[in-house]
Structures are given as C-alpha cells and as structure tokens.
Amino acid sequence: MSSAFATTRSGVRRPSGFLLFLLLAALLLMAMVLSFGIGPLKVAPEDVLRIVLARFGLADTEGLKVRDMAVIWNLRIPRALMGALVGAALALAGAGLQGLFGNPLADPGVVGVSQGAALGAVGAIVMGATAFGEWTVPVAAFVGGMLSTTLIYLLARPGRGSGTVTLLLVGIAIGAACSAAIGFLTYRANAAQLQSLVFWQMGSLGSADWADLGAALPVFTIGVVGMLMLGKPLDMLALGERQAQHIGLDVRRARVMLVTCSALLVGAGVAFAGTIGFVGLVVPHVVRLLAGPGHRWLLPLSALTGAALIVVADTAARTLDPPSEIPLGLFSAAIGAPFFLWLVLHQRPGGAR
C-alpha cells in the first residue's frame, strides 16, 4: 500500500487525507489567484502577484496601471477572500448538520436553516435595527439560523426514529414559514430597502470589501475553529446518541455546540453573501466519497472544497455576461438541484446504495 493512499475495509483505495488536503489547498490558491485577474478588466497573473507584493513593500509598481491596482486590491481580492470564507462556512455547516442529524440530505438550504438566517437578516434590515452597529445584520442572521436549527433538530432528531422523510418535511415547513415571513417583510419594505433585499434572495459577493471582510473574519474564524474541533464528537455521534454517551461523549453539550457552530457559520454566510443553496449538501458528500466518512479529514477537506467552489462560481458569475453579473445563487442551484434529486432517489428503499 502506497503511503499516499489508504485502503478501506471494503478494499477501496482512497488518497490519504493529507494528500487531498495539499491538493485542495493548491487548487484553492490557484482559483483565487486566477480570480484576481479574470473579469471584464483582465490582468496578467504576474501583474497580480506584483500588485499584491507591492502592497507589502516587497515589489515596485513601475509599469503597473493605477486602475489595475485599484481594481485588484480594492475589489477582487476582498471579494475572493469573502467567497472563500463563505464557501468554507457553508460546506462546514453542511457537514456538521449531516453528522448531527445522521442524514446525508441535511443541508442549510434544504432543511430551512438558510431561510431562518435570511429571515433574521431581512428583519433587521426592514425594521432598521442598529442595536449592534455594523454587527446588527450578522447577529440577527445568527439568531435566526440558530432558532431554525434548534427547532428542526427538536422536531426531527434522529433519536426519535425519524428518517429522511421527516427531516425533509420539517425542513420544508420551516423554510416555507420563513419564506412567507420574508415575503411579508419585503412587501413592507421601502424602495431603498427593496434594492438591498434582492441581494438576500439570490446571493452575491458584489458588495464585499475590506470593511466587510474585517467584520466577517472574526465570526467565520470562531465558527470554523469551533466546528473543526467537533470532528471526534461527530464520529462518536455516528454510532448513535446512546452508544456515544456510553463511550464518554457528553451528547447534550456536543449537540449544543454543533447547533451553535452551524448557526454561526450559516448566519455569517447569509449575512455577508445572501442565500446560497446546496453548497452544504454537495461538498460534504463529494468529499466523503473521496476521503471516507471520518470527520477528522471530512471537515477540513469540505472547508477547502467549499471555498474553492464558491471562488470559481463567483468568478464565473461576474465574467460570463459582462457588464451584468449573474447572481451567485443561480450557479449553486444549477449544480445542487440535480445532485439533490439524484441523492433523494439514491436514498429510496428501492434505489442504489
């Protein structure tokens, strides 16, 4: 057996987690560097590198256009970094929710968590809430995501013997209720608010800048670090809550941490990028096929894959139809909806397993 590959009990050879981590990290870095230079204004990769190095005093700006430097540093770099954070957050939240529910169909968008976070954010905007300053919308999105996650878990928790159908029905009901509330708030919004609310309906990174990135980074960091620390508890929960408790896991504490971290990640993603569906469904499932079900590697690899996916999708969204920008949520739905349908059919008693 090569050191770069691991063989499962069923005889399937998979790349080692460390090798996949290096490959995905390189892919993410390549996608981000390319995204800096791709767009209506094209900048060569070597000029992009010089612009970045020049900001840190490591290169000169001779021969570089001021316009190019402004576009790269002020628009594209913070946008790509925000996309990477949002993609990693949504993929991690999806992996965590799938482990919490013990169900591969659990996804922040499918089961209503994203709608709950969006309701909190939209409510804060329409009501003009400013209690937490620039943190008001992210806090409201976090609270909405946490309440919806908690409600879903209480109604469809695996310990009650509920399965895929119950989870989907509960998620659909909560998502529909949140969507109705969002519709009512949209109806009550004024013209200025309506323009910004379109952002929440389809998802976009068009408004991302360094100020948003500075506000988002602490929230994402807490959620990502917290979720990565839950790898071992998630592996234990995969045995069942009762078995996990027998081998020493504080199941209630693990559940609370999973709900909190998932809501924090989804809430932050919705607050800064709007509603982007299916990332949390597709990415963990693909990574699970490549690296296996163990959360030690599933979580970090999902974060890298989700980050790369959103960076690539956002680059396509702003370059395929210039000068217009295609909503980012349309790309995720175009990829995720067929995959979700296949996964639902795969989960049927008569389907392939």
Side-chain angles (χ1 to χ4, degrees), residues 99-249:
L100 175 65
F101 289 104
N103 196 313
L105 295 179
D107 166 78
V110 173
V111 299
V113 179
S114 293
Q115 291 89 333
L119 175 58
V122 169
I125 292 173
V126 173
M127 292 187 290
T130 57
F132 299 96
E134 64 180 7
W135 292 90
T136 300
V137 173
V139 168
F142 164 67
V143 172
M146 191 162 103
L147 290 176
S148 59
T149 305
T150 303
L151 184 58
I152 293 164
Y153 185 80
L154 292 176
L155 295 177
R157 57 182 296 183
R160 290 183 169 179
S162 57
T164 300
V165 174
T166 302
L167 173 64
L168 292 178
L169 291 177
V170 169
I172 289 171
I174 292 177
C178 291
S179 296
I182 291 173
F184 175 75
L185 290 172
T186 302
Y187 169 74
R188 296 295 303 271
N190 57 40
Q193 292 169 340
L194 279 175
Q195 188 173 3
S196 65
L197 288 182
V198 174
F199 164 81
W200 303 104
Q201 303 299 321
M202 296 191 225
S204 173
L205 294 168
S207 64
D209 55 23
W210 286 109
D212 287 341
L213 193 64
L217 188 58
V219 183
F220 282 116
T221 300
I222 294 172
V224 168
V225 172
M227 186 64 78
L228 290 176
M229 293 174 61
L230 292 170
K232 186 175 180 180
L234 281 168
D235 284 337
M236 298 169 75
L237 283 174
L239 303 173
E241 291 190 358
R242 182 173 299 178
Q243 290 83 348
Q245 194 164 12
H246 285 330
I247 59 178
L249 178 67

